[in-house]
Amino acid sequence: MEKTIIELENAAQTLKLLGDKTRLTILGLVKDGECCVCEFVEVLQMSQPSISQHLRKLRDAGLVKEQRRGQWIFYSLNTSHTTYPIVQQILEQIPDQKEKLRALEDAGLRIQCC
Amino acid sequence: MEKTIIELENAAQTLKLLGDKTRLTILGLVKDGECCVCEFVEVLQMSQPSISQHLRKLRDAGLVKEQRRGQWIFYSLNTSHTTYPIVQQILEQIPDQKEKLRALEDAGLRIQCC
DNA sequence: TGCGCATATAATAATATGCTTATATACTAA
DNA sequence: TTAGTATATAAGCATATTATTATATGCGCA
């Protein structure tokens, strides 16, 4: 893998954002493809405003992109961000979060949009 | 490289610690070998108590080890920590911090212990 | 238009973080 | 023992962070 050197200050800012269980889970979820907000709310069992604020931080930092599609807003990894290489490597080393979505699905609890 | 899966909660705690410019620099410094506290103080241009408190956090989390040698205390990376693989990969992607030590040395400012 | 749903934003309160100053501890050397 | 140096710890304060509650925005549809 190509070795990328990232400015320490930028790296620290990104790591700070990843250093939160909620946000790290969110990134783990979008690793394999876009998710809509309601999925985060369901999987993380947190209030919608709280999720929304975490998403804003990730978006403001440029780590994720948002795309509105009708009533729903989908988030995905911004793979062109300077610190994406770091993010990517970290996400490879944590458990697959998609399991949680599948678990919900299997339990028939995916009653919402997605 | 062997792929290691690290619990999300542990990963988040580690990333939180790395998500600070001072601590990330400290880890960057010990990446290539142990450093004594006075080196951190010099390189980072911060008060000794402040450095000491950052070191305590890193030590409490198990990311670094300390070793007293006479009057001085040396810190080094704890390579056997669960999240070491993550730490290692991150440190490979930030600029070499040892440069800063060498710069001080060249400027004849390494008047202290080390 | 107006209603309902999904999501964002704002204001607030509780908690955590990081720095400073002051002090304690541990070691060395005289 | 005493003084001096290196480091750690404690207390206090300013700032940052996170969750909650209330409200606003944007879209689809009747």
Side-chain angles (χ1 to χ4, degrees):
Chain A
M1 185 181 307
E2 183 64 36
K3 191 168 162 187
T4 314
I5 299 298
I6 290 155
E7 285 309 317
L8 191 124
E9 199 138 4
N10 297 334
Q13 199 227 353
T14 292
L15 295 170
K16 187 176 198 170
L17 285 170
L18 301 203
D20 173 277
K21 202 181 162 186
T22 302
R23 288 189 295 265
L24 190 55
T25 306
I26 287 175
L27 291 173
L29 283 165
V30 294
K31 186 184 74 173
D32 309 303
E34 62 182 15
C35 295
C36 94
V37 179
C38 62
E39 292 185 286
F40 302 130
V41 172
E42 250 185 292
V43 169
L44 289 159
Q45 294 279 95
M46 289 175 68
S47 73
Q48 175 269 316
S50 191
I51 293 292
S52 206
Q53 282 160 18
H54 283 294
L55 287 170
R56 177 160 58 159
K57 289 191 181 186
L58 293 172
R59 177 165 32 89
D60 285 354
L63 296 183
V64 299
K65 295 177 294 186
E66 74 169 25
Q67 196 203 356
R68 180 178 278 277
R69 207 175 300 147
Q71 227 168 341
W72 300 283
I73 300 182
F74 292 80
Y75 284 84
S76 56
L77 266 187
N78 177 11
T79 55
S80 55
H81 190 268
T82 324
T83 64
Y84 175 67
I86 284 187
V87 175
Q88 188 184 31
Q89 289 202 341
I90 291 168
L91 296 181
E92 275 173 17
Q93 296 186 66
I94 60 170
D96 188 1
Q97 297 305 305
K98 279 284 178 183
E99 297 275 351
K100 294 183 180 163
L101 276 180
R102 275 195 293 276
L104 273 180
E105 214 158 354
D106 294 349
L109 294 169
R110 299 290 299 287
I111 45 175
Q112 300 193 5
C113 70
C114 325
Chain B
M1 187 181 306
E2 183 64 36
K3 192 168 160 187
T4 314
I5 299 299
I6 291 155
E7 285 309 318
L8 191 123
E9 199 139 3
N10 298 334
Q13 199 227 353
T14 292
L15 295 170
K16 186 176 198 171
L17 285 170
L18 301 202
D20 173 277
K21 202 182 163 186
T22 302
R23 288 190 294 265
L24 191 54
T25 306
I26 287 175
L27 291 172
L29 283 164
V30 295
K31 186 185 74 173
D32 309 303
E34 61 182 15
C35 295
C36 95
V37 179
C38 61
E39 293 186 285
F40 301 130
V41 173
E42 250 186 292
V43 169
L44 290 159
Q45 294 279 95
M46 289 176 68
S47 74
Q48 174 269 314
S50 190
I51 293 292
S52 206
Q53 282 159 17
H54 284 293
L55 287 170
R56 177 160 58 159
K57 288 191 181 186
L58 293 172
R59 177 166 32 90
D60 285 354
L63 297 183
V64 300
K65 295 177 295 186
E66 74 169 25
Q67 196 203 356
R68 181 179 277 275
R69 207 175 300 147
Q71 226 166 342
W72 300 283
I73 300 181
F74 292 79
Y75 283 85
S76 57
L77 266 186
N78 178 11
T79 56
S80 55
H81 190 268
T82 324
T83 64
Y84 174 67
I86 283 187
V87 174
Q88 189 184 29
Q89 290 202 339
I90 291 167
L91 295 182
E92 274 172 18
Q93 296 187 66
I94 60 170
D96 188 1
Q97 297 305 303
K98 278 285 177 182
E99 297 276 351
K100 294 184 182 164
L101 275 180
R102 276 196 292 276
L104 272 181
E105 214 158 355
D106 294 349
L109 293 170
R110 299 289 299 287
I111 45 174
Q112 299 192 7
C113 71
C114 324

